[in-house]
Amino acid sequence: MDKRAVVTAVLCVMAALGASAAMTKVVPADDGKAPGQVKAAPRGASPAATPLPSQAQSSSQPQAPAGSRSSAAQTPGASASPSAQGGPTAFTGALFEGDVTGEHFCTATVVHSPGRNLIVTAGHCLRAGRAGEGGASFAPAYADGRAPYGTWKLAEVFEDPRWSDGTNDDYDLAFARLAPDASGRNIEDVTGAAVLDTTGRTDEQVTVTGYPSDRKVPRTCLSRAVRLSATEQRFDCADFPGGTSGSSWIAADGKIIGVLTGGDTDDVSTSTILTGYAAELYARATAGGAGAAGGGR
């Protein structure tokens, strides 16, 4: 797939997290590349992918993992099972400009965290700024104009400065803290979450669910992640167009081992390999995950 050109207009988010919480503007971002510019041509070949039916909810169980690399940081957080309310497919959804009546531009996944209020997506999907009005929101399990678990306002975005300031594709990753809903619930208590694995895993079967920006239902595919370099991996599946940026690559054990960030065509997608930089970014996001001021860019 081509590098996702998500949204060029600036928009803001105000999330009410209590009288003392800091408010941060969140904007859908350009991909940081000139029009038509894509990543380097992929190397190697992936086994044939297995498209799965479009579904109202995300994620399917892939095959057993083939291996892992152990030179990076430990997996953050404890294993978390999806809640009874959400089930195992509820924690992936679409990112919207405003509420679900607006346009969706990227995909995100609830990631397990101590604050139970964190999502992970691609860095080029979101950027943080000063407090303002308006909003960007996350709709887990969105389908056909319906958000069965509600919509959740983004409150704060965490990015690696090597991406946010230098647009280095090796660090194209972002976490976002979500405000509680009107009932005071955190997102993970409603949908469950997937655990982030930052041990550098690749070369194994993964399931990827993304939200094409020109459709109202997700697209799910089972294929094999293939290492391209020390920092990049590839996933082959037909018809993963713009809007699928930020899709989590979920291994057989339910852990996130990649996040879709780009690719040369709609049939070839890429992700950074999640290593120590992702663990450090996760730690920074969770340190601010209880609503503390600061900790964004």
Side-chain angles (χ1 to χ4, degrees):
M1 55 167 284
D2 292 323
K3 185 74 175 176
R4 315 316 190 218
V6 288
V7 182
T8 57
V10 175
L11 50 99
C12 309
V13 63
M14 178 176 292
L17 297 176
S20 62
M23 293 177 291
T24 305
K25 182 177 74 174
V26 178
V27 298
D30 300 330
D31 21 5
K33 291 186 175 290
Q37 185 177 358
V38 296
K39 294 191 176 186
R43 298 173 294 283
S46 293
T50 304
L52 303 176
S54 292
Q55 28 185 302
Q57 297 179 343
S58 62
S59 178
S60 294
Q61 285 298 323
Q63 302 300 313
S68 64
R69 192 176 76 179
S70 60
S71 61
Q74 296 296 315
T75 302
S79 295
S81 299
S83 66
Q85 300 101 309
T89 62
F91 46 66
T92 293
L95 289 169
F96 282 82
E97 302 176 46
D99 58 25
V100 293
T101 61
E103 298 294 326
H104 62 88
F105 56 87
C106 269
T107 303
T109 302
V110 183
V111 60
H112 174 62
S113 66
R116 307 183 68 80
N117 56 4
L118 212 62
I119 57 173
V120 63
T121 187
H124 69 265
C125 290
L126 298 169
R127 287 185 183 146
R130 298 178 182 174
E133 297 179 355
S137 59
F138 173 65
Y142 172 81
D144 293 321
R146 297 184 298 274
Y149 302 104
T151 56
W152 304 74
K153 289 292 186 181
L154 276 66
E156 190 170 12
V157 169
F158 300 84
E159 295 176 315
D160 191 298
R162 288 167 289 191
W163 166 258
S164 58
D165 298 335
T167 62
N168 185 330
D169 288 329
D170 289 344
Y171 306 97
D172 188 359
L173 184 72
F175 295 95
R177 177 169 52 85
L178 304 182
D181 69 3
S183 299
R185 300 175 300 175
N186 288 316
I187 182 73
E188 189 174 336
D189 295 325
V190 176
T191 65
V195 172
L196 184 72
D197 191 314
T198 60
T199 59
R201 289 168 60 179
T202 185
D203 297 321
E204 59 185 275
Q205 296 256 38
V206 291
T207 298
V208 182
T209 296
Y211 280 82
S213 57
D214 60 352
R215 302 169 210 172
K216 292 187 176 181
V217 293
R219 168 126 174 84
T220 297
C221 195
L222 171 68
S223 187
R224 189 174 188 85
V226 175
R227 182 187 300 275
L228 300 180
S229 70
T231 58
E232 188 178 45
Q233 57 186 328
R234 168 182 172 178
F235 168 93
D236 289 1
C237 185
D239 193 25
F240 261 68
T244 60
S245 280
S247 307
S248 287
W249 298 19
I250 299 181
D253 60 3
K255 294 182 179 180
I256 299 170
I257 66 168
V259 174
L260 196 155
T261 57
D264 287 348
T265 71
D266 288 354
D267 301 338
V268 176
S269 302
T270 55
S271 165
T272 64
I273 293 176
L274 302 180
T275 56
Y277 93 92
E280 292 170 3
L281 185 59
Y282 173 88
R284 186 153 58 91
T286 56
R297 283 182 56 190

